[in-house]
Amino acid sequence: MKHLRQGLIILGLILVGWLALPANASQAASNSDTFKVGMEAGYPPFNWTQTDASNGAVQIDGSSAYAGGYDVQMAKKVAHALGKKLVVVKTSWDGLAPALTSGKIDAIIAGMSPTAKRRKTIDFSDTYYASQLVIVVRKDSKYAQATKLSDFSGAKLTGQLNTYHYTALSQIKGAIKEPAMKDFPAMRVALESGTIDGYISEKPEGISVTGANPNMTMVEFKGAQGFKTKPEDTDLAIGLRKNDPDKLKINAALAQISQKERNQLMTAAVAQQPQAKSQGNWVVSLLKQYGGMLASGTGITLLISLVGTIVGFVIGLLVGIVRTIPRGGSAWRRGLLRFVDWLLSVYIEVFRGTPMIVQAAVVYYGAAQAFGWNMNRLAAALVIVSVNTGAYLAEIMRGGIIAVDSGQFEAAHALGMTHLQTMNKIILPQAIRNSLPAVTNEFVINIKDTSVLSVISVSELFFQGSTIAGQNFQFFHTYLIISAIYLILTFTITRILRWIERKMDGPQNYNLMANQNQVSNPKTSLTN
Amino acid sequence: MTDEILAVTHLEKSFGDHQVLKDINLQIRRGEVVTIIGSSGSGKSTLLRCINLLEQPTQGEITFHGENILAPKFDITTYRAKVGMVFQSFNLFNNLNVLQNCMVGQTTVLNRTPEAAREMALAQLEKVGMTPYVNAKPSQLSGGQKQRIGIARAVSMSPEVLLFDEPTSALDPEMVDDVLDSMRALAHTGLTMVLVTHEMAFARDISDHVVFMDQGVIAEEGSAEEIFTRPQKPRTQTFLKRYLQR
């Protein structure tokens, strides 16, 4: 359904593969009694996230939310046939293939098409749903009455990035090809706001969106008047690791499900998909419905940025201290210092010079694929943010240390203090104070930048927000609430750190100590 | 010489190709006040900084109670605790208040208890007339006040020798006297002092021994009387004449 070209992730994996072993050294996520299935849980009616277990939804691994939809029902049937317990792992679209090949999941059931490109890295079962392409438009636009592709001449159209939907756009002569978009929620917002006239989608998604949003409709095409598509594009299949021993059993299970049953399941899924309850004040109803998800997202964001900043601060401090050790002493000592300094520069350059989203992909998926390390998602996030922050703060701390005038180093040395004592008692208190505004800055950046961790499916605030928006189609409202939460977080943090700064500065005035000395020696009167 | 504390022999110091000190020989005895005079760039400050190893000598020997301080195994930090230094630019610790400035060396290097350190610091601050300001931060004080604290900080370490590197050169004229008074009082306690200064009248007044440096060498030395009233070398005479004309 969507073409596998996962940009940054692949770049990361190539890096790791090049550094380490051939990429086929993966292991099964579990040869035990569980069947781990990866899906976005944000692509209704195939899969979505909901807050309760109604309509046969399955709890998402490591979360209090549930996954429902056509894919979940299929996954249940397959797991039943395998005699295993179904575990749903919520994974972002770009993370699905790496998660499969690295053994973090056993199968992808996420509305994915078995394209030739994807077949190079993973295997597929037989088809479990066949679809067709449609164009979603606004009901009040002139394109709502279109019946053939040529009716869309002059329309501004788009499709999802890295999918055959977008490449199919070139079959419409005269259409204006807008840049591809990241996901369906983004295209729905664009359509509703009028920046595009329509987007290419598949029938189930079209049914969903027209059901949820009365302003939208979908244009279907009959036979030769529509898009020319290949079965490998329109068919949906279950993604499997190559040489999966369970493939035959899975195909046998799929063969048991008749076309009629599939259609019934799809109709049910479209009817069951979560709808926005929009009675009363929208803020109140949104918070009431999704308050739990927002709170847990806020908590995760705060946890990651707080731990990341504190650990990163400690890393930065240590690196800064080591990098400012005076060069002297024996040749051996100088050589060692130069080597350590070189290592630390490499660390700083690498982590400052690559995007955090790539680092996250390399650490989380790369480590699993190359070395078989199966890291906890949250732990990986904490490590990445800490190490990344450390690289930035190391230079800030070094600057803070250098900014203390060399006379104070000399005075401390002249008193007989060692380098460590000088740092500890004199230099670092001043360096830390000097760099606090920069640390505040880094904290604020961390709060916002944890959103890139959605690539490894850490359910922080932005990830939760996208999930909610994908469910209730209230994009503007949801993102407005999310941005308000971000603003409250960053504003509060900034104030707290400003207060700490003032605390460290101490009182602005001092008290003269009145005593006999002052009286007997007039020279000590205030001269400034 | 039994009461010799410091001895400098054949000391050389170069910064790259530029030789700043050439064959310096100097003895400092217990209770003596030695003043080094000379024009700017003559190597006075460099000599002082070599003595407490803020600069590493290129060649030669410095002994402290007969022990070579340039030997690889020599315990530099203990030595520095015994040889105090007062800087031209004060170099007070900006993160600490006046009292803490005078305590931090005592507690970290000499391992004195906070109570003992505090008592010592207060006693020395009183001698320089800075007791009222114990709670002030260095940034809140004038230059003369800062330098008196610099002196109190150095003396609080109970040093055997105290080095002064142009202590009044960065001060406004009206503040110089306060600092010189404090130094004079110290000299009267019998503390061994090595002083680099341009205050000729003061040097003449308190010095036991005066060294005139010119272009990296000791051009002439002798008692204060000898150097200031009957200088022998023409270079010394020119230098002093220029100062007296001011």
Side-chain angles (χ1 to χ4, degrees):
Chain A
M1 200 176 262
K2 305 169 185 177
H3 269 293
L4 180 78
R5 200 172 343 112
Q6 299 161 336
L8 296 172
I9 312 280
I10 290 294
L11 177 71
L13 290 181
I14 289 169
L15 255 170
V16 165
W18 171 71
L19 285 170
L21 330 169
N24 56 7
S26 58
Q27 305 161 345
S30 53
N31 31 21
S32 60
D33 50 357
T34 58
F35 180 54
K36 289 192 176 177
V37 174
M39 61 181 70
E40 290 175 282
Y43 182 49
F46 292 102
N47 50 67
W48 66 73
T49 306
Q50 60 187 52
T51 48
D52 55 31
S54 62
N55 300 322
V58 175
Q59 187 157 15
I60 294 170
D61 189 32
S63 158
S64 58
Y66 293 79
Y70 183 84
D71 287 339
V72 174
Q73 301 314 317
M74 281 289 156
K76 278 165 90 169
K77 286 181 189 294
V78 171
H80 182 73
L82 293 173
K84 292 181 177 182
K85 184 176 176 294
L86 173 65
V87 174
V88 171
V89 182
K90 188 171 175 172
T91 310
S92 71
W93 178 254
D94 281 344
L96 283 169
L100 181 64
T101 53
S102 63
K104 289 187 182 294
I105 55 174
D106 296 313
I108 300 170
I109 308 185
M112 188 180 268
S113 301
T115 60
K117 232 174 203 167
R118 285 191 190 122
R119 281 190 189 280
K120 284 178 191 159
T121 45
I122 58 175
D123 201 0
F124 283 97
S125 72
D126 293 341
T127 306
Y128 74 90
Y129 186 79
S131 176
Q132 72 174 93
L133 286 183
V134 298
I135 299 180
V136 177
V137 297
R138 281 188 308 281
K139 208 172 246 171
D140 57 4
S141 82
K142 62 176 176 174
Y143 300 108
Q145 269 70 48
T147 53
K148 51 189 187 295
L149 290 183
S150 54
D151 291 342
F152 282 92
S153 176
K156 291 183 280 182
L157 299 177
T158 190
Q160 187 177 18
L161 187 67
N162 298 335
T163 61
Y164 82 98
H165 304 173
Y166 192 67
T167 37
L169 254 180
S170 45
Q171 295 179 28
I172 308 176
K173 288 209 171 61
I176 300 160
K177 210 168 167 179
E178 294 289 321
M181 292 192 182
K182 188 174 166 282
D183 50 28
F184 283 89
M187 291 190 287
R188 292 177 203 133
V189 174
L191 179 60
E192 189 148 37
S193 66
T195 51
I196 57 171
D197 293 318
Y199 65 85
I200 300 192
S201 182
E202 299 189 30
K203 198 172 169 182
E205 198 273 344
I207 299 171
S208 280
V209 74
T210 49
N213 191 325
N215 300 327
M216 293 189 188
T217 186
M218 91 182 146
V219 178
E220 293 180 75
F221 304 97
K222 289 215 173 64
Q225 289 171 329
F227 293 99
K228 289 179 191 68
T229 51
K230 288 175 279 186
E232 65 158 43
D233 285 335
T234 49
D235 290 356
L236 302 183
I238 300 176
L240 299 168
R241 261 187 303 280
K242 292 202 169 170
N243 308 318
D244 190 320
D246 285 338
K247 184 176 171 181
L248 285 176
K249 272 197 230 168
I250 291 171
N251 281 338
L254 291 177
Q256 297 285 312
I257 310 166
S258 67
Q259 187 57 46
K260 192 181 164 207
E261 195 179 352
R262 292 178 189 197
N263 287 339
Q264 282 168 353
L265 280 172
M266 181 53 76
T267 312
V270 169
Q272 289 160 2
Q273 63 176 309
Q275 306 279 332
K277 297 172 191 144
S278 54
Q279 61 271 50
N281 183 307
W282 62 266
V283 177
V284 175
S285 75
L286 244 173
L287 289 179
K288 211 179 266 173
Q289 204 175 349
Y290 299 105
M293 284 173 78
L294 288 172
S296 86
T298 308
I300 297 277
T301 289
L302 208 54
L303 175 76
I304 295 173
S305 51
L306 186 68
V307 173
T309 308
I310 291 174
V311 176
F313 177 74
V314 173
I315 293 175
L317 201 58
L318 292 176
V319 174
I321 293 171
V322 171
R323 295 193 85 193
T324 49
I325 291 176
R327 303 284 174 272
S330 63
W332 187 84
R333 194 182 116 98
R334 280 203 304 274
L336 182 74
L337 274 177
R338 197 171 305 158
F339 177 68
V340 170
D341 200 59
W342 177 80
L343 273 185
L344 293 176
S345 328
V346 170
Y347 157 63
I348 291 170
E349 292 303 333
V350 166
F351 280 90
R352 232 174 26 166
T354 55
M356 193 152 81
I357 190 168
V358 180
Q359 294 163 13
V362 170
V363 169
Y364 185 64
Y365 297 120
Q369 192 150 13
F371 309 109
W373 295 342
N374 229 329
M375 236 180 284
N376 174 297
R377 241 176 265 131
L378 186 62
L382 290 174
V383 167
I384 290 153
V385 176
S386 302
V387 170
N388 193 285
T389 309
Y392 280 93
L393 289 184
E395 283 300 275
I396 288 167
M397 295 315 299
R398 194 168 72 91
I401 291 169
I402 292 171
V404 178
D405 66 297
S406 59
Q408 294 187 52
F409 280 91
E410 288 194 344
H413 288 156
L415 284 177
M417 290 191 193
T418 61
H419 181 69
L420 207 66
Q421 288 170 333
T422 305
M423 279 292 172
N424 191 18
K425 300 275 179 183
I426 310 299
I427 308 302
L428 289 183
Q430 296 180 58
I432 289 170
R433 169 63 191 90
N434 290 343
S435 51
L436 255 190
V439 173
T440 310
N441 220 9
E442 198 60 34
F443 200 162
V444 167
I445 288 172
N446 275 345
I447 287 178
K448 296 181 297 173
D449 280 7
T450 45
S451 54
V452 308
L453 294 169
S454 57
V455 72
I456 58 169
S457 311
V458 175
S459 46
E460 42 68 52
L461 186 52
F462 177 74
F463 190 73
Q464 299 287 42
S466 330
T467 306
I468 294 168
Q471 280 175 27
N472 65 8
F473 299 100
Q474 292 184 310
F475 310 101
F476 175 72
H477 298 155
T478 309
Y479 286 123
L480 198 65
I481 288 181
I482 297 282
S483 41
I485 295 174
Y486 274 118
L487 200 60
I488 292 168
L489 286 184
T490 53
F491 186 81
T492 316
I493 298 289
T494 315
R495 296 295 121 171
I496 291 174
L497 279 155
R498 187 69 56 77
W499 178 80
I500 292 174
E501 278 181 37
R502 275 202 302 271
K503 208 79 184 150
M504 283 183 79
D505 285 344
Q508 289 298 300
N509 299 305
Y510 59 92
N511 301 320
L512 286 177
M513 295 290 112
N515 62 8
Q516 284 190 324
N517 183 70
Q518 197 185 1
V519 181
S520 64
N521 187 354
K523 250 185 267 174
T524 57
S525 59
L526 206 55
T527 50
N528 58 347
Chain B
M1 195 74 61
T2 50
D3 54 356
E4 173 190 286
I5 296 181
L6 270 167
V8 176
T9 7
H10 303 305
L11 187 77
E12 314 251 326
K13 173 67 187 174
S14 302
F15 292 109
D17 291 337
H18 180 56
Q19 192 166 15
V20 186
L21 296 178
K22 296 165 205 158
D23 194 28
I24 302 288
N25 295 284
L26 183 68
Q27 281 84 41
I28 291 145
R29 297 176 196 85
R30 186 176 301 283
E32 202 177 36
V33 175
V34 177
T35 304
I36 306 172
I37 58 171
S39 47
S40 296
S42 59
K44 312 182 296 289
S45 287
T46 308
L47 172 57
L48 209 63
R49 290 167 63 83
C50 280
I51 289 177
N52 79 345
L53 296 177
L54 286 178
E55 301 290 351
Q56 192 69 23
T58 317
Q59 257 179 41
E61 200 176 59
I62 301 173
T63 56
F64 182 65
H65 293 301
E67 203 182 342
N68 182 12
I69 70 165
L70 301 174
K73 291 274 159 74
F74 185 77
D75 182 0
I76 295 172
T77 54
T78 311
Y79 165 71
R80 278 172 166 165
K82 292 175 183 168
V83 180
M85 180 115 172
V86 174
F87 297 87
Q88 178 176 355
S89 48
F90 329 126
N91 297 351
L92 296 185
F93 305 131
N94 290 330
N95 57 320
L96 304 177
N97 69 21
V98 168
L99 185 63
Q100 290 163 334
N101 259 280
C102 300
M103 287 173 62
V104 65
Q106 300 184 64
T107 50
T108 52
V109 181
L110 304 178
N111 293 320
R112 286 183 185 158
T113 63
E115 295 74 35
R118 186 186 163 81
E119 198 177 321
M120 170 63 96
L122 284 173
Q124 299 310 329
L125 284 168
E126 177 154 11
K127 282 186 193 163
V128 296
M130 287 301 293
T131 315
Y133 302 94
V134 289
N135 290 327
K137 284 284 182 74
S139 58
Q140 296 163 327
L141 300 174
S142 72
Q145 292 173 323
K146 284 184 193 173
Q147 193 58 294
R148 283 184 279 154
I149 291 158
I151 293 169
R153 175 176 70 181
V155 179
S156 295
M157 298 291 286
S158 318
E160 288 186 41
V161 185
L162 196 47
L163 312 176
F164 291 84
D165 186 9
E166 305 201 27
T168 55
S169 300
L171 298 179
D172 292 337
E174 66 263 35
M175 299 186 177
V176 169
D177 285 342
D178 287 344
V179 173
L180 293 184
D181 286 348
S182 299
M183 290 167 65
R184 200 188 311 271
L186 267 182
H188 289 149
T189 63
L191 180 66
T192 313
M193 290 167 46
V194 182
L195 170 64
V196 171
T197 188
H198 291 293
E199 297 290 335
M200 294 305 156
F202 178 74
R204 181 178 188 162
D205 192 21
I206 72 159
S207 304
D208 299 305
H209 191 77
V210 178
V211 174
F212 171 66
M213 284 187 70
D214 188 46
Q215 294 175 11
V217 297
I218 295 180
E220 189 171 354
E221 59 183 317
S223 68
E225 174 77 9
E226 284 165 352
I227 298 294
F228 286 107
T229 48
R230 303 184 297 275
Q232 302 297 308
K233 302 273 172 65
R235 284 191 284 183
T236 320
Q237 292 162 356
T238 327
F239 172 78
L240 286 173
K241 198 176 284 168
R242 214 182 308 138
Y243 263 90
L244 293 174
Q245 278 167 356
R246 278 195 183 167

